[in-house]
Amino acid sequence: IQLTQSPSSLSASVGDRVTITCRASQGISSYLAWYQQEPGKAPKLLIYDASTLQSGVPSRFSGSGSGTDFTLTISSLQPEDFATYYCQQLNSYPLTFGQGTRLEIK
Amino acid sequence: QVQLVESGGGVVQPGRSLRLSCAASGFTFSSYGMHWVRQAPGKGLEWVAVISYDGSSKAYADSVKGRFTISRDNSKNTLDLQMNSLRAEDTAVFYCAKESSVTGTRDGMDVWGQGTTVTVSS
């Protein structure tokens, strides 16, 4: 299953609302997770089951979608949110990740 | 605290073998499926392999099938990845990761190690 994220990169300012999309090549129900990765660090789980916030993740992060189309929204960007974001499908093996969306400071 | 620590990375010639290990602590290792995920320099994340909580079930990415073998020792709380016939394109940081839920893979991976670097070069 291929995952296509858009955009590949995004410039935004602190306080902005941003949305990243992830499209699956076939239906994956709600078995989608989102991760945040800062340079030189391991990925961090943000959301699973398409819309469930991982414990400890700020509520400004939210996810939605099912089937083939999914979104990650950050309601009000904070300085620590500038990183790369990946979606991952967990519906079937082999598991796959999107190509990533790099979120940069404008 | 919950922790995963990878080891075993290094520089290896094409065609040779390398074995990675991941030491787990702070949680009931034998209750969770475990994964290996890699990231080539400057590239995105690539899922590599998974092993079920008891080692009875495994799955691999097509790019490593037949060359890599995932295994675990629940008595030692360790996860391994035996990598044979290494290629230049296997150069990457390798992460081990824990499944979030005891019920299986579908809730994502909530704990990751710091990664170990594998460089395949002559």
Side-chain angles (χ1 to χ4, degrees):
Chain A
I1 298 172
Q2 292 186 338
L3 297 180
T4 303
Q5 287 183 233
S6 60
S8 295
S9 63
L10 175 61
S11 293
S13 301
V14 172
D16 284 354
R17 177 184 180 92
V18 299
T19 298
I20 299 168
T21 66
C22 178
R23 175 163 289 175
S25 60
Q26 63 188 76
I28 57 171
S29 186
S30 63
Y31 301 124
L32 188 101
W34 289 96
Y35 298 86
Q36 177 193 65
Q37 187 180 34
E38 298 177 53
K41 294 189 175 182
K44 173 186 174 183
L45 178 64
L46 299 176
I47 287 169
Y48 62 93
D49 200 27
S51 61
T52 303
L53 201 64
Q54 173 68 2
S55 176
V57 174
S59 59
R60 63 180 179 273
F61 291 91
S62 64
S64 65
S66 67
T68 59
D69 294 314
F70 301 87
T71 61
L72 171 70
T73 299
I74 309 172
S75 61
S76 178
L77 276 173
Q78 299 301 300
E80 60 268 30
D81 299 337
F82 293 93
T84 300
Y85 293 84
Y86 295 92
C87 56
Q88 180 195 32
Q89 69 82 16
L90 300 141
N91 182 71
S92 61
Y93 294 117
L95 305 185
T96 47
F97 289 92
Q99 82 278 14
T101 295
R102 184 175 179 183
L103 181 52
E104 301 174 319
I105 300 174
K106 184 182 288 184
Chain B
Q1 73 278 22
V2 178
Q3 193 173 12
L4 298 171
V5 179
E6 302 95 338
S7 61
V11 180
V12 61
Q13 294 179 329
R16 303 297 290 267
S17 300
L18 201 62
R19 189 176 186 91
L20 305 183
S21 292
C22 171
S25 59
F27 66 100
T28 306
F29 180 71
S30 60
S31 294
Y32 292 89
M34 297 293 295
H35 298 254
W36 287 99
V37 175
R38 68 183 179 182
Q39 187 168 35
K43 302 299 184 182
L45 301 171
E46 180 187 16
W47 177 80
V48 173
V50 61
I51 187 167
S52 60
Y53 69 99
D54 61 355
S56 64
S57 181
K58 305 174 186 181
Y60 299 91
D62 289 344
S63 58
V64 307
K65 199 175 295 183
R67 300 188 299 124
F68 290 11
T69 302
I70 190 171
S71 62
R72 66 190 296 160
D73 186 336
N74 285 345
S75 68
K76 297 181 179 178
N77 289 354
T78 57
L79 172 74
D80 288 340
L81 185 69
Q82 177 66 41
M83 304 186 294
N84 299 331
S85 303
L86 282 162
R87 306 166 180 168
E89 54 265 36
D90 294 318
T91 295
V93 174
F94 283 74
Y95 297 99
C96 62
K98 165 190 166 290
E99 289 184 349
S100 301
S101 171
V102 296
T103 59
T105 298
R106 288 178 164 172
D107 288 346
M109 304 162 194
D110 66 341
V111 180
W112 295 63
Q114 84 288 353
T116 188
T117 300
V118 173
T119 302
V120 184
S121 174
S122 54

